[in-house]
Amino acid sequence: MLSAQSVKLAKVLPKVSSLGAAGARLKHTLPDLPYDYSALEPVISSEIMKIHHQKHHQTYVNNLNATEEKLAKAIAENDVEQIIALQPALKFNGGGHINHSIFWQVLSPKGGGSPTGDLLELIKRDYGSFDKMKDMLTQASVGVQGSGWGWLGFNQANGRLRIVTCANQDPLQPTTGFTPLFGIDVWEHAYYLQYKNVRPDYVKAIFDVANWEEVGNRLAQARLNA
């Protein structure tokens, strides 16, 4: 039997595409970017975007598919020890696929500025102002030790926004229960070629390409599902 965390992970994994053969296992695929690799310049360089998407995200997808194949075999053979042993790889690579699939969508060459509508109203209610929320999310993201993510999430249980950090590629919803709205990747591969070791400059700049329209849409969907 799958662990509770595996079940949660499966529910939020990005949609998969079929291998084509009837009854064949569905495989995860690398999603296309909704813009060109150079579209986020000068905030994020074309070189970083290409490596980040084609190499790093693709590796998570490849490893996730390989892990799921091993997991299916272990389940079929009722190999409980192997099922347990595969959980870290499932969490890491599945989380990497989930996190990056969200990340590409919540950035936009037409982004920046401030949120509007219900998103802005909730930010004001929970943090006082957009600037205060941005400062808190910035501090949290910059303060991640090692690699990880800073998130603005939504707590469906009480309808409030939450600023949360996750280590490594831990996905927000399966590990905390909060719905991810806006995420900042603070792994070095997301910024080092351009910003070197100055993570604060990268985190500050990324708000200039934040796709608040998409974040607002994610909030609206989360509230519908609450």
Side-chain angles (χ1 to χ4, degrees):
M1 181 178 293
L2 288 173
S3 69
Q5 188 174 80
S6 295
V7 173
K8 288 182 180 179
L9 194 63
K11 288 180 179 179
V12 295
L13 279 168
K15 291 183 179 179
V16 297
S17 60
S18 173
L19 290 174
R25 189 184 70 84
L26 297 178
K27 280 195 172 184
H28 303 281
T29 59
L30 182 70
D32 293 332
L33 290 184
Y35 36 74
D36 294 335
Y37 287 115
S38 61
L40 301 183
E41 291 184 340
V43 174
I44 306 177
S45 71
S46 174
E47 182 182 17
I48 287 177
M49 289 298 296
K50 194 169 185 178
I51 293 173
H52 198 171
H53 180 251
Q54 293 184 356
K55 302 298 183 181
H56 291 278
H57 192 172
Q58 182 68 69
T59 298
Y60 296 127
V61 171
N62 294 344
N63 290 340
L64 175 59
N65 285 323
T67 301
E68 287 189 342
E69 288 178 2
K70 294 177 182 177
L71 184 62
K73 182 175 183 291
I75 292 171
E77 296 175 353
N78 198 28
D79 187 344
V80 177
E81 290 186 356
Q82 178 69 348
I83 291 172
I84 294 171
L86 289 168
Q87 297 305 300
L90 181 66
K91 181 180 181 181
F92 182 77
N93 293 294
H97 184 31
I98 291 169
N99 293 340
H100 285 87
S101 296
I102 296 169
F103 187 59
W104 311 132
Q105 296 294 328
V106 297
L107 302 180
S108 170
K110 298 180 181 179
S114 300
T116 58
D118 289 344
L119 175 60
L120 180 59
E121 292 308 309
L122 259 66
I123 289 173
K124 288 180 178 178
R125 183 198 68 187
D126 293 342
Y127 296 101
S129 70
F130 171 61
D131 285 340
K132 288 181 180 178
M133 184 282 292
K134 187 165 70 171
D135 287 344
M136 291 179 66
L137 181 54
T138 296
Q139 291 176 23
S141 301
V142 170
V144 170
Q145 294 186 353
S147 301
W149 292 73
W151 290 100
L152 176 66
F154 179 69
N155 184 348
Q156 291 179 314
N158 61 16
R160 304 191 75 86
L161 299 174
R162 287 290 303 270
I163 290 174
V164 187
T165 60
C166 291
N168 301 314
Q169 291 297 350
D170 290 2
L172 184 66
Q173 192 164 5
T175 54
T176 69
F178 303 138
T179 302
L181 301 180
F182 178 69
I184 302 176
D185 186 348
V186 291
W187 280 67
E188 285 191 344
H189 65 239
Y191 62 88
Y192 197 85
L193 289 177
Q194 187 173 353
Y195 293 90
K196 306 307 179 187
N197 64 330
V198 190
R199 181 188 286 179
D201 286 354
Y202 157 73
V203 173
K204 179 181 178 181
I206 207 165
F207 286 98
D208 291 336
V209 290
N211 186 352
W212 295 118
E213 180 179 359
E214 173 63 19
V215 177
N217 291 338
R218 295 183 64 82
L219 172 63
Q221 188 60 52
R223 296 176 91 177
L224 283 175
N225 295 337

